[in-house]
Amino acid sequence: MAAWAGMLARQPGRHFALSLDDSLEFGAALLGAWQAGKTIWLTADTLPASCASLAASVDGFLGQFPAVHAPLPAPAGDASAPVWRELAGDFPALVVHTSGSTGAAQAIPKKLSQLCSEVATLEQLFGHYAQGAAVVATVTHQHIYGLLFKVLWPLCAARAVHAHSVDFPERLAALLAQGPCVLAASPAHLKRLPEHLDWAGARAQLRAVFSSGGPLAPDSALAAGQLLGSVPREIYGSSETGGVAWRQRAQERLDDDSWQAFPGVEWRLADDGALAVRSAHLADDGWLGLADRARQTAAGRFQLLGRSDRIVKIEEKRISLSAVEAALLATPLVAEASVLLCDAPAGERQKVAAFIV
């Protein structure tokens, strides 16, 4: 951290894009940048379009970006004793992006107080499951979910982290068997866990499984729980809202798909059923209206009823159906087009269907 802070303190400008695969090196760069008074911008990938968009907003690039952007590499170790300063809650710590695909990604600024509030909520709700457990993840820290579960929460709780995301189930099964751990994953991974692998070690060591990025079907949640020994705790939220609510499926309540709000998160429904939330995870104390529709269920819980706009999620990526239609209509081969999201059988990927004239 000291090396990153010293190097960035000498750099002009305030805004820097950061991309590093190693979560521990990423955490050192992130905290070092904050100590140097820099705001970090995160992007899900380093593809040309993403980098071009970042270049218009940042003063420099850090880590594993293409050479054309002259990224500053990891600095050599600094032997001097660092002098750390306490940062104000309104420090502009981060800019994250929604998971845009054919829908344009939106830049979401985050103050330090928002991130601290999220970490405190996670520790309050789930900290006792993670005591003495290392964090294993199949998701990247370049998104807000992975950033919280794989970097910020473990660092604040002095919890061990496996530095690299796990891509293959064979590696995941072996890693989970090594010792007490918690797993941060996505529905795309959890609904495809191969039954033929030996998950006995994972069942013995796993303390909790978390899933976010999209809903996990009930049968997929229970199947993952049977293999891993722990039914996933699903997190509902977004880059804009932060964490909003959570749920854990149960065999005896398989038809209950309602959500329980996080501590300190208030929610209400508009006349048209649109959900709105208010919490310390937001930039101010006002209500934020969402594009998700919901209805209240028992004991103050709510059930999601789909979106009021035409943004859908496939494998945790946001897809604008309107943008797909516009792209089709831009070709001389198409006069009319309507694009819909198809329901998928359990364990299979959702697809879009285009009806074209």
Side-chain angles (χ1 to χ4, degrees):
M1 288 190 295
W4 281 101
M7 184 264 285
L8 285 170
R10 298 187 292 271
Q11 300 297 321
R14 179 169 189 170
H15 298 271
F16 288 82
L18 173 62
S19 180
L20 286 166
D21 291 336
D22 185 304
S23 291
L24 300 180
E25 187 64 34
F26 173 92
L30 181 68
L31 298 184
W34 290 349
Q35 284 294 311
K38 309 299 186 184
T39 299
I40 289 297
W41 289 60
L42 297 185
T43 179
D45 57 65
T46 57
L47 296 174
S50 300
C51 292
S53 177
L54 280 173
S57 303
V58 301
D59 301 299
F61 290 80
L62 307 174
Q64 297 163 323
F65 284 98
V68 67
H69 296 287
L72 298 171
D78 191 339
S80 61
V83 178
W84 302 115
R85 61 191 180 96
E86 184 175 348
L87 302 176
D90 61 355
F91 175 74
L94 205 64
V95 177
V96 298
H97 286 81
T98 56
S99 53
S101 181
T102 50
Q106 300 295 316
I108 312 294
K110 296 281 184 180
K111 295 183 293 186
L112 187 63
S113 61
Q114 294 173 258
L115 300 175
C116 292
S117 173
E118 294 244 41
V119 168
T121 297
L122 294 178
E123 182 65 17
Q124 177 185 348
L125 268 179
F126 308 122
H128 58 288
Y129 296 108
Q131 290 294 337
V135 178
V136 178
T138 68
V139 295
T140 174
H141 51 242
Q142 298 288 144
H143 283 304
I144 188 67
Y145 165 49
L147 175 70
L148 288 167
F149 276 76
K150 195 183 176 191
V151 178
L152 297 181
W153 182 25
L155 281 177
C156 289
R159 201 164 287 137
V161 176
H162 288 275
H164 290 275
S165 297
V166 185
D167 294 324
F168 299 102
E170 294 83 0
R171 172 60 177 155
L172 181 63
L175 200 57
L176 295 178
Q178 290 183 1
C181 57
V182 297
L183 173 63
S186 70
H189 291 101
L190 292 173
K191 68 185 182 183
R192 293 184 174 89
L193 294 175
E195 295 183 9
H196 68 273
L197 295 180
D198 182 6
W199 297 101
R203 287 192 293 272
Q205 298 293 352
L206 258 177
R207 302 295 183 260
V209 180
F210 300 99
S211 176
S212 189
L216 188 61
D219 48 0
S220 296
L222 295 181
Q226 186 173 11
L227 289 177
L228 300 175
S230 178
V231 176
R233 290 166 172 82
E234 297 178 69
I235 310 299
Y236 166 61
S238 67
S239 301
E240 298 93 331
T241 62
V244 173
W246 73 283
R247 70 182 178 191
Q248 186 179 33
R249 303 283 192 175
Q251 183 68 57
E252 61 272 18
R253 303 190 309 276
L254 197 57
D255 59 344
D256 181 9
D257 57 359
S258 62
W259 297 86
Q260 175 67 53
F262 279 172
V265 174
E266 300 177 66
W267 62 273
R268 67 185 185 187
L269 299 175
D271 292 339
D272 62 355
L275 184 65
V277 297
R278 182 170 67 178
S279 76
H281 305 167
L282 299 174
D284 55 47
D285 194 41
W287 288 90
L288 177 65
L290 309 182
D292 291 317
R293 294 179 297 107
R295 71 176 182 88
Q296 184 170 357
T297 59
R301 299 167 70 94
F302 62 86
Q303 178 188 27
L304 294 174
L305 303 175
R307 291 181 65 89
S308 57
D309 60 14
R310 301 198 70 219
I311 299 292
V312 300
K313 276 196 171 183
I314 296 181
E315 304 297 280
E316 294 77 67
K317 299 294 184 182
R318 292 159 58 98
I319 304 292
S320 167
L321 300 182
S322 297
V324 177
E325 289 173 352
L328 290 170
L329 291 171
T331 77
L333 301 176
V334 178
E336 297 179 47
S338 180
V339 177
L340 305 173
L341 179 66
C342 303
D343 289 331
E348 294 187 14
R349 176 176 176 159
Q350 281 190 302
K351 302 175 182 178
V352 292
F355 296 84
I356 294 173
V357 177

